[in-house]
Amino acid sequence: MEKTLNSKKYRWVTVVITLLVLLLQPEVQAQNSRKSNWLDSKKAHIGRWRIGSGLNVGEPTGLHVQFYKVSGICTKTINIRKKLSLDLGVSQEGLIFPKLINENNPTWDSGGFRFGLDFKIYLPIALNPYLGVGTELGTRSINSSSGFYPDLVGRFGIEQKLLGVKISTRSLFHMSFFIEGKYNYCLTEDYTMLLPTGGLRFHFL
C-alpha cells in the first residue's frame, strides 16, 4: 500500500515538473529571442552610417555635414568613438588669418567661397586623433585676379567630447570639439597653406 502511495506521489511530481517545463519553455524561447534581437540591433546600431553637423573656425571658416561610422557608443558616459567619416563643407577663406596666408603667399589678395570634401580615419587610441585627406574647390584672388582654384588637403587633428545629454531611453545628443592642423596645396597656382583650425561637431544618436 505504501509503495502504491509513493508511486502516485512520484507520478504527480513528474506531471507537475512536465507541466512547468511546458509552460516555461515559451518564455525562455522569447527571452532568448529578445536577447538575440537586442544583439542584432546593437550590431546594426554600431555599424550604420550616421549624420552630424559642425562649425569650423580657421581657414576657411564655415559649416560642414559629416557622415560617420562609430566603433563604439558608451551610453553610461554618453560618449562616442568614431571610426571613419566623410565630410562635406562650405566656407569662406581669409576671415580669420588673412595676414598669415599673405605672409606665406605674397601674391594672395583675398579668399572666396570654398567647397570641401574630406575623408577621415579615426585612430583607436587616446585623444581620438584622426588623419584626413580631401579636396577643396572654390574662388580666391591672386595677383589681383579672381579665379577658380582646386586644392589638395591634408589634415591631422584630435576630437574630444564636450557635452553628452541623454534625450530618451533610445537617443542622445553628443557635442565634441576638434583641433587640427590643415595643409592646402593648390594644383593650378603656387599657393600653399599650413594653419590651425578648430570647431564643434553635433551628433544626434
Side-chain angles (χ1 to χ4, degrees):
M1 184 69 175
E2 186 177 348
K3 288 183 179 180
T4 302
L5 291 173
N6 288 336
S7 178
K8 287 182 179 181
K9 286 181 181 180
Y10 290 133
R11 193 178 303 162
W12 277 109
V13 170
T14 303
V15 170
V16 170
I17 291 174
T18 303
L19 288 173
L20 286 173
V21 170
L22 291 173
L23 290 171
L24 292 175
Q25 187 175 6
E27 179 61 25
V28 171
Q29 290 176 344
Q31 287 181 359
N32 289 335
S33 177
R34 284 195 295 268
K35 184 177 180 181
S36 176
N37 291 338
W38 181 85
L39 291 173
D40 292 340
S41 176
K42 186 71 172 176
K43 291 175 183 177
H45 185 69
I46 294 296
R48 71 180 186 222
W49 283 94
R50 301 179 172 278
I51 300 178
S53 59
L55 165 69
N56 47 289
V57 178
E59 292 300 346
T61 295
L63 303 172
H64 63 270
V65 175
Q66 186 179 70
F67 301 88
Y68 64 95
K69 282 190 174 184
V70 296
S71 59
I73 302 173
C74 182
T75 55
K76 188 174 182 179
T77 60
I78 310 182
N79 196 14
I80 63 175
R81 295 187 305 276
K82 292 181 182 175
K83 187 176 183 180
L84 50 89
S85 72
L86 185 67
D87 293 21
L88 303 173
V90 57
S91 49
Q92 171 74 38
E93 183 179 88
L95 290 179
I96 306 297
F97 302 119
K99 290 183 179 180
L100 293 179
I101 296 176
N102 193 250
E103 284 178 6
N104 293 325
N105 302 276
T107 58
W108 179 88
D109 299 311
S110 63
F113 281 105
R114 310 288 293 171
F115 300 91
L117 173 65
D118 290 284
F119 177 75
K120 297 183 178 71
I121 296 177
Y122 289 77
L123 306 179
I125 57 177
L127 298 180
N128 295 322
Y130 59 84
L131 299 169
V133 293
T135 184
E136 217 174 72
L137 308 170
T139 60
R140 60 171 62 105
S141 179
I142 295 178
N143 283 325
S144 301
S145 177
S146 181
F148 185 85
Y149 297 96
D151 294 0
L152 291 178
V153 176
R155 301 173 188 267
F156 174 75
I158 60 171
E159 184 170 345
Q160 291 285 293
K161 178 187 117 175
L162 186 63
L163 176 68
V165 179
K166 206 165 188 178
I167 300 173
S168 70
T169 56
R170 292 190 175 185
S171 62
L172 57 87
F173 169 73
H174 183 277
M175 181 169 65
S176 60
F177 72 91
F178 65 93
I179 302 172
E180 65 181 31
K182 177 172 171 282
Y183 177 75
N184 283 56
Y185 176 81
C186 184
L187 297 175
T188 59
E189 190 72 28
D190 183 16
Y191 174 93
T192 60
M193 177 174 65
L194 176 59
L195 289 172
T197 186
L200 300 172
R201 294 195 178 104
F202 310 95
H203 318 90
F204 290 91
L205 294 93

